[in-house]
Amino acid sequence: MDAVVIAGGVPEPEDPLYAYTQGIPKALLDICGKPMIQWVLDALCQAETIERVIVIGLSADSGVTCEKAMAFIPSQGNMLANIRAGALKVLELNPNAEHVLLASSDVPGITHESIDWVVRTTMQTDDDAYYNVISREAMEARYPTSNRSYVRLRDVQVCGGDVNVVRTKTVTENHDLWDRIVESRKNALKQAALIGYDTLILLLLRLITLEGAVKKVTRRLAISGRAVLCPYAEIGMDVDKPHQLEIMRADLERRNAT
C-alpha cells in the first residue's frame, strides 16, 4: 500500500505552536534533532506493508528523506484537497491502487509496527473508509498528561487517530461527498446535517455504541466503513499544543536512549 503524509500546515500567529514555528511548516518542528515529519517517514519507510510515500506540503529540498520511493506535492490549501491530491498521485503512480494510507505529519511517536498493524487489520475487509480510534484507557495509559478530548459513546470513550485508510476512488471520484464534507468543516449545523440529527442526538445522550454510530454515519454518507479500535496510542498522539510537543520530545528522547 502507498502512504500519503499531510504536511501542509503553517501555524498562524494565533496558533498555540506559533512561538515554536515562527512561520515554518509545523511538520519541520525539531524533535530530538530531526524534523517531526521525519519520525513519521522513518516509521513508514521501515513498515513492511508500505511501498512508496507521497508528501504533501513540502518540497524535495526540505531535507526529509525516506529509503523508499518518495514524491512531493505542494499544499492544495486545505486538508481535504490535500487528501484528494495525494490519492490522485497514488493512482498516477499505481493505477491499480485500491486503498491508500493517510497519515498526519504530527504523530511522531508512530512506529513501523503500528503502521503494519493498521494496514493488515484494515485489509481484512474491503470497505471504503477505515477510521482508527483509541480508547481513553489506552491513551491515558501511554500518555497520561496528553489531555485529549474524547467522544463518549455508550460502550467506550475514544479519541480519533491520525493514521487511517481510505479507498482511492472514494476520494477521487465521489465529488459530491467530498464537497459536502468540505462545506461542513467549520459549520456545526452543516456537520450535524451531514451525519444526521438523529445520530447527533444519540451521541450527545450517549445512547449509541461505536459500531452503531459508524453504521448510521456511513449509511448517511452512502459509503461502507469501519471504526478500528487501535491499541497503539501513538497513532492518536498528535502535536497540536506546546505541552504535547514537550511530551513527545521527552518520549522520543527516552526512545533514542534505549
Side-chain angles (χ1 to χ4, degrees):
M1 186 179 295
D2 293 341
V4 172
V5 182
I6 309 297
V10 179
E12 299 291 335
E14 64 273 14
D15 191 284
L17 289 175
Y18 182 76
Y20 294 80
T21 57
Q22 295 290 316
I24 68 168
K26 176 182 172 182
L28 298 180
L29 267 173
D30 179 82
I31 294 186
C32 300
K34 58 186 178 183
M36 176 160 58
I37 188 177
Q38 189 62 59
W39 291 92
V40 176
L41 293 175
D42 290 347
L44 291 169
C45 292
Q46 294 168 19
E48 296 177 354
T49 55
I50 299 301
E51 183 175 351
R52 65 173 61 85
V53 179
I54 315 296
V55 176
I56 301 183
L58 298 179
S59 62
D61 62 3
S62 60
V64 298
T65 61
C66 181
E67 295 176 359
K68 295 180 179 176
M70 289 183 71
F72 294 85
I73 301 177
S75 175
Q76 306 299 299
N78 64 66
M79 169 116 14
L80 294 172
N82 285 338
I83 291 172
R84 179 179 283 175
L88 287 169
K89 186 65 175 180
V90 166
L91 287 173
E92 174 190 324
L93 297 171
N94 178 13
N96 296 319
E98 290 287 333
H99 291 84
V100 59
L101 183 121
L102 305 173
S104 171
S105 63
D106 63 355
V107 280
I110 64 173
T111 62
H112 63 91
E113 292 93 349
S114 60
I115 296 296
D116 285 334
W117 185 92
V118 167
V119 174
R120 289 167 178 154
T121 300
T122 57
M123 290 301 92
Q124 291 174 10
T125 61
D126 186 33
D127 290 297
D128 296 324
Y130 303 84
Y131 185 55
N132 279 288
V133 295
I134 297 92
S135 71
R136 182 168 188 165
E137 291 80 7
M139 178 61 70
E140 294 186 349
R142 180 70 176 84
Y143 302 106
T145 60
S146 60
N147 294 328
R148 290 299 311 267
S149 297
Y150 299 92
V151 175
R152 293 172 178 264
L153 299 163
R154 192 174 74 186
D155 55 340
V156 67
Q157 294 184 45
V158 295
C159 62
D162 289 87
V163 178
N164 298 294
V165 173
V166 66
R167 191 186 303 278
T168 51
K169 291 184 178 180
T170 299
V171 178
T172 58
E173 295 183 0
N174 199 336
H175 299 296
D176 177 65
L177 169 63
W178 284 95
D179 289 343
R180 284 188 292 146
I181 293 174
V182 170
E183 187 180 1
S184 71
R185 282 186 70 238
K186 295 185 179 181
N187 187 306
L189 289 177
K190 290 180 178 179
Q191 289 173 1
L194 189 64
I195 68 170
Y197 288 97
D198 57 338
T199 306
L200 178 63
I201 291 170
L202 290 172
L203 285 170
L204 292 174
L205 295 177
R206 304 176 195 171
L207 295 176
I208 194 168
T209 63
L210 178 60
E211 182 178 359
V214 171
K215 285 182 178 178
K216 283 183 172 291
V217 172
T218 53
R219 188 182 305 120
R220 183 83 177 185
L221 298 178
I223 63 173
S224 63
R226 288 172 55 204
V228 180
L229 194 59
C230 179
Y232 293 94
E234 293 85 355
I235 279 176
M237 186 57 197
D238 53 1
V239 175
D240 284 330
K241 297 180 176 63
H243 83 277
Q244 294 166 340
L245 175 61
E246 297 307 324
I247 287 172
M248 294 313 301
R249 282 176 169 170
D251 188 77
L252 292 172
E253 184 74 35
R254 288 191 292 270
R255 184 191 295 183
N256 275 345
T258 58

